[in-house]
Amino acid sequence: EVQLVESGGGLVQAGESLRLSCAVSGFSFDDYAIGWFRQAPGKEREGVSCVSARTEITNYADFVKGRFTISSDSAKNTVYLQMNSLKPEDTAVYYCAAERTSYCSITTMTTYDYWGQGTQVAVSS
């Protein structure tokens, strides 16, 4: 059974940090790219970052460059999203998703095969 389980969300103040984790099981981790997406209330889901487990290629949305860092640990089948200098506008439900590819892209979500249930991130001003 394929599973993606996010954790690490919470309530923080602006300027603080959180690290999200996405633990995956049920498929070959190295054959997939893992992406992070987020959806704020009343807004469309948007891509945040992604990493290819095999090639370690990464991509970031412009609004998180310099603040967020994505990494993967093949030994633990886990992808992390380190989020620093959080802003109130980062408040959203964060989802991880898996796509079978050696590259990664966050420009489209329809290519992602599997999704987690999401974890809430709330940033107060």
Side-chain angles (χ1 to χ4, degrees):
E1 178 186 5
V2 173
Q3 282 192 317
L4 290 86
V5 180
E6 303 97 335
S7 61
L11 173 63
V12 296
Q13 294 187 334
E16 294 184 340
S17 299
L18 282 173
R19 188 177 79 158
L20 304 184
S21 299
C22 175
V24 308
S25 60
F27 58 84
S28 178
F29 185 76
D30 287 345
D31 290 338
Y32 282 75
I34 303 298
W36 284 98
F37 298 84
R38 70 185 188 185
Q39 188 165 19
K43 295 188 177 181
E44 293 186 352
R45 192 170 297 188
E46 60 184 356
V48 176
S49 182
C50 62
V51 60
S52 165
R54 183 182 301 276
T55 64
E56 299 185 349
I57 291 172
T58 60
N59 275 299
Y60 294 92
D62 287 343
F63 54 79
V64 302
K65 284 180 180 177
R67 299 189 299 126
F68 292 9
T69 303
I70 194 169
S71 61
S72 65
D73 185 337
S74 295
K76 296 182 178 180
N77 283 7
T78 299
V79 170
Y80 303 98
L81 185 68
Q82 178 67 44
M83 306 188 297
N84 298 330
S85 302
L86 283 162
K87 304 175 181 180
E89 50 264 45
D90 293 318
T91 295
V93 177
Y94 283 71
Y95 301 88
C96 64
E99 177 186 5
R100 188 180 176 95
T101 178
S102 59
Y103 183 65
C104 82
S105 173
I106 52 172
T107 58
T108 179
M109 289 172 277
T110 57
T111 55
Y112 282 79
D113 304 300
Y114 307 109
W115 289 81
Q117 81 290 347
T119 185
Q120 176 72 53
V121 170
V123 184
S124 64
S125 58

